[in-house]
Amino acid sequence: MKTLIKTLFALFIVVAVINPVSAQSQKAIKQAKKAAEIKGLIDSKNYIFQASYMYPSGGGSRYLTSPYDLTVSPDTIEAYLPYFGVAYSGAGYNSNEDNGIKFKSTKFDYAIKTKKDGSYTINIKANDTRNATQMTLQVYTNGNADLTVISMNRQQIRFNGYIKERSKPKV
């Protein structure tokens, strides 16, 4: 009887030790898969940055309830983002004009730098927009991302969100 109790106790200890290790390895596999997916999107230059929060330079974060994004494809950058902050001379506040960060660029500079931790820093400069716009996109291996936008006639603004795959064109 003592041997049976000792055997069951040893078996219980083995199961208790192995189970958390298995859960940790499952999590590591899931993280590695997500990191590979993000790398593929970044390398293909074919993804969408979906903004969730914005942080104007004047302070006070704002949760974005509408879909705002930056779409990246190999030949086009398209921004549809809100703006809150100070606009300098020449920015134009015509009531018929939408004052968000909205443009489509086919002439742009795009540079990727991979960091030691596996994250990416992507610098984008639109060369054919009304306001010279520079963007820095920091993408993490889990898909989270931060976008900083610097315009010639406006205060800098930062967005927080995530990277996702662009939907396939309908045929």
Side-chain angles (χ1 to χ4, degrees):
M1 185 71 173
K2 279 186 169 182
T3 308
L4 180 61
I5 292 172
K6 285 181 180 178
T7 304
L8 288 174
F9 182 71
L11 185 60
F12 174 76
I13 296 296
V14 168
V15 169
V17 169
I18 290 175
N19 198 21
V21 171
S22 176
Q24 287 175 349
S25 64
Q26 289 291 340
K27 185 176 179 182
I29 290 169
K30 196 173 188 180
Q31 288 172 341
K33 184 178 176 184
K34 183 67 175 179
E37 177 187 329
I38 296 301
K39 181 180 178 0
L41 292 174
I42 299 299
D43 288 347
S44 70
K45 286 204 271 188
N46 205 13
Y47 57 89
I48 295 173
F49 166 75
Q50 188 73 50
S52 301
Y53 287 88
M54 85 173 151
Y55 302 89
S57 289
S61 66
R62 295 177 189 239
Y63 177 71
L64 301 174
T65 56
S66 299
Y68 292 102
D69 57 42
L70 173 72
T71 302
V72 176
S73 66
D75 60 352
T76 307
I77 302 288
E78 192 166 357
Y80 180 73
L81 299 164
Y83 182 78
F84 286 91
V86 175
Y88 306 117
S89 65
Y93 275 106
N94 183 339
S95 61
N96 297 328
E97 184 178 327
D98 187 348
N99 289 310
I101 301 168
K102 296 172 179 68
F103 65 85
K104 187 173 189 175
S105 175
T106 56
K107 295 180 182 172
F108 57 91
D109 299 326
Y110 185 95
I112 304 170
K113 181 179 178 187
T114 305
K115 293 185 162 188
K116 288 181 183 179
D117 64 358
S119 65
Y120 304 91
T121 300
I122 302 165
N123 292 308
I124 303 168
K125 183 174 187 236
N127 297 317
D128 58 350
T129 60
R130 189 183 69 201
N131 293 324
T133 305
Q134 295 181 12
M135 296 172 279
T136 301
L137 182 62
Q138 182 69 41
V139 182
Y140 303 96
T141 56
N142 64 359
N144 290 337
D146 290 312
L147 175 67
T148 301
V149 180
I150 302 170
S151 296
M152 198 162 93
N153 298 322
R154 296 179 176 176
Q155 278 184 329
Q156 161 179 313
I157 189 167
R158 186 174 65 87
F159 298 91
N160 179 264
Y162 57 93
I163 295 294
K164 67 179 187 176
E165 184 176 8
R166 286 183 59 213
S167 56
K168 306 287 187 230
K170 294 178 184 173
V171 179

